[in-house]
Amino acid sequence: MTKPILLSTPHMGSDELKFVQEAFETNWIAPVGPHIDAFEQEFCQVIGASHAAAVSSGTAALHLALRLIGIEPGDEVVCSTLTFIATASPITYLGAKPLFIDSDRTSWNMNPDLLRETLAKRSHQGKLPKAVVVVHLYGQSADLAPIVEACNEYEIPLIEDAAESLGATYKGRSPGTFGQMGIFSFNGNKIITTSGGGMLVSEDADLVTKARFLATQARDPAPHYQHSEIGYNYRLSNVLAGIGRGQLRILADRVAARRHNFGTYQQALGKLPGIEFMPEATFGRATRWLTCLTVDPDTFGVDREQIRLALAQQQIEVRPVWKPLHLQPVFTECECIGGAIAEDLFDRGLCLPSGSNLTSEDLARVIQAIANLHP
Ligand SMILES: *Cc1c(COP(=O)(O)O)cnc(C)c1O
């Protein structure tokens, strides 16, 4: 039977189990404990952030970030359109409405010019959005400098969704550390994983303290369980934080392995007519969390869906690039500024198997399967 090759699977190192065992031996099987504190500190060191709160998912971290900014029903929040639903769903948890912005071709992320124009226009109309959520897609940072500048000009808080881009850089620094808050994910398919988990980071200690408070049912400092606000149960387990500590130690290896996948694919397939790989913007280093490419069906001979189906028959999992959020049935009421680039990337874009644990035989099988489709 043919071995399935999946898109992105967990890849444990040698320390994770040791940390988990430690949690068992000390009976810290709870959403508090020494691994959580250490994971938060070590995470800050790795990405160069000042404060971090470990939580149960990246989505939870985004929800907390928006709540801390004070997003309310009826507010408008700017959001990248080319992304996974979790970038935008927390906006709707708070009763606010996303305003989507198209990508640029250099990074596939939010187009800073469109953001600036949109904020200028909204300012003119006297109804500025309450926040901007920018995503760093597939391991590549958005062009942060002009985005930060536009947000500063209109005094709008910036939240960075760096769920897919832990280990990347923008001008030498980690994305997620440029906005008022940044969030990361340790879901099973991400570059490092705790099976499920997330992190909220900020330079502002008060925001992170408040995030922990809200993530722990917003319990006032009283012995009798008093609550003046409604909170959530969003804290990460100490057991899972142990996995995270182990994973964090080998992040650089995982980035190297994913970049190696990309290089191997690009070398073998990059010269085929109609195949173009996701560019790496000059302002930073991408992790290549997922290797993405676009297919021009007229030149290549088959389209991305035919490739996907042919590879699925050979037990190789490939996926289309994210369907833009402005095309999602749940967001038909929401406005999108531009959208043609995100739509084109969705129509022609494909994500290849990209796990850091793929073997050279796995990569060769994927390459052969795609090359065979070119007439
Ligand atoms: C995975 C992901 C999230 C959500 O993270 P979870 O930990 O799965 O909740 C948010 N945004 C993007 C872009 C993601 O890829």
Side-chain angles (χ1 to χ4, degrees):
M1 210 181 76
T2 328
K3 178 188 123 188
I5 302 178
L6 300 175
L7 198 69
S8 180
T9 61
H11 186 187
M12 292 297 117
S14 47
D15 291 336
E16 289 84 341
L17 198 53
K18 193 185 78 191
F19 286 127
V20 169
Q21 250 152 7
E22 208 176 294
F24 273 67
E25 280 156 16
T26 54
N27 206 31
W28 280 108
I29 316 291
V32 287
H35 281 330
I36 298 175
D37 303 337
F39 186 36
E40 291 172 346
Q41 279 166 25
E42 290 159 7
F43 191 83
C44 282
Q45 275 162 18
V46 166
I47 70 154
S50 298
H51 308 280
V55 292
S56 53
S57 71
T59 311
L62 261 174
H63 189 192
L64 291 168
L66 290 160
R67 170 83 190 264
L68 287 166
I69 278 172
I71 302 302
E72 288 174 346
D75 286 343
E76 199 175 45
V77 175
V78 171
C79 182
S80 309
T81 188
L82 187 66
T83 182
F84 178 50
I85 185 84
T87 309
S89 34
I91 298 170
T92 69
Y93 298 170
L94 293 163
K97 204 172 162 185
L99 165 62
F100 296 115
I101 300 225
D102 201 0
S103 299
D104 63 31
R105 289 250 177 228
T106 19
S107 71
W108 291 19
N109 289 311
M110 184 184 284
N111 181 327
D113 297 328
L114 285 184
L115 173 66
R116 176 176 290 280
E117 284 167 27
T118 304
L119 295 185
K121 209 164 148 188
R122 283 289 197 272
S123 164
H124 206 71
Q125 296 164 341
K127 43 170 197 174
L128 275 170
K130 268 281 192 65
V132 172
V133 181
V134 64
V135 73
H136 306 296
L137 215 55
Y138 297 128
Q140 171 149 270
S141 176
D143 191 2
L144 280 163
I147 291 172
V148 167
E149 196 184 285
C151 288
N152 286 345
E153 189 179 330
Y154 294 96
E155 293 175 14
I156 298 175
L158 175 67
I159 299 173
E160 293 175 73
D161 177 355
E164 300 181 1
S165 291
L166 177 58
T169 64
Y170 178 80
K171 298 186 177 172
R173 270 172 60 194
S174 172
T177 62
F178 289 77
Q180 189 162 357
M181 283 170 272
I183 75 95
F184 294 84
S185 166
F186 313 116
N187 193 19
N189 60 351
K190 299 301 200 291
I191 195 156
I192 64 169
T193 181
T194 60
S195 75
M199 194 74 83
L200 181 145
V201 304
S202 180
E203 288 308 287
D204 186 336
D206 291 343
L207 282 176
V208 174
T209 304
K210 187 82 196 285
R212 276 197 204 100
F213 166 77
L214 287 174
T216 324
Q217 305 285 20
R219 236 179 96 185
D220 293 341
H224 51 263
Y225 291 89
Q226 176 160 299
H227 304 271
S228 319
E229 273 185 86
I230 295 292
Y232 313 92
N233 182 6
Y234 275 173
R235 283 295 262 164
L236 184 69
S237 155
N238 186 64
V239 180
L240 304 187
I243 302 177
R245 293 184 70 191
Q247 288 271 278
L248 205 51
R249 294 181 172 193
I250 46 175
L251 173 62
D253 293 343
R254 300 304 185 245
V255 173
R258 295 209 182 227
R259 286 184 63 92
H260 171 77
N261 293 339
F262 182 93
T264 308
Y265 283 133
Q266 189 179 36
Q267 201 168 21
L269 301 169
K271 290 207 179 66
L272 290 178
I275 299 286
E276 225 180 298
F277 280 79
M278 180 179 178
E280 183 171 37
T282 52
F283 49 62
R285 191 164 183 268
T287 65
R288 304 303 191 179
W289 171 59
L290 295 186
T291 288
C292 304
L293 52 78
T294 55
V295 186
D296 178 3
D298 298 333
T299 331
F300 187 69
V302 295
D303 65 19
R304 76 118 162 90
E305 195 52 15
Q306 289 167 304
I307 298 180
R308 191 183 71 76
L309 292 169
L311 268 62
Q313 289 233 315
Q314 299 169 55
Q315 307 295 318
I316 299 170
E317 183 190 25
V318 297
R319 290 282 177 95
V321 160
W322 297 125
K323 179 171 183 168
L325 296 184
H326 71 272
L327 300 181
Q328 296 289 354
V330 285
F331 291 130
T332 44
E333 307 281 285
C334 298
E335 194 181 338
C336 183
I337 311 300
I341 291 177
E343 286 170 28
D344 177 55
L345 292 171
F346 169 61
D347 284 341
R348 300 191 301 113
L350 202 62
C351 307
L352 303 186
S354 302
S356 47
N357 46 9
L358 291 177
T359 64
S360 44
E361 290 76 33
D362 294 334
L363 294 173
R365 232 177 87 199
V366 178
I367 288 165
Q368 199 53 53
I370 295 175
N372 283 345
L373 292 170
H374 179 56

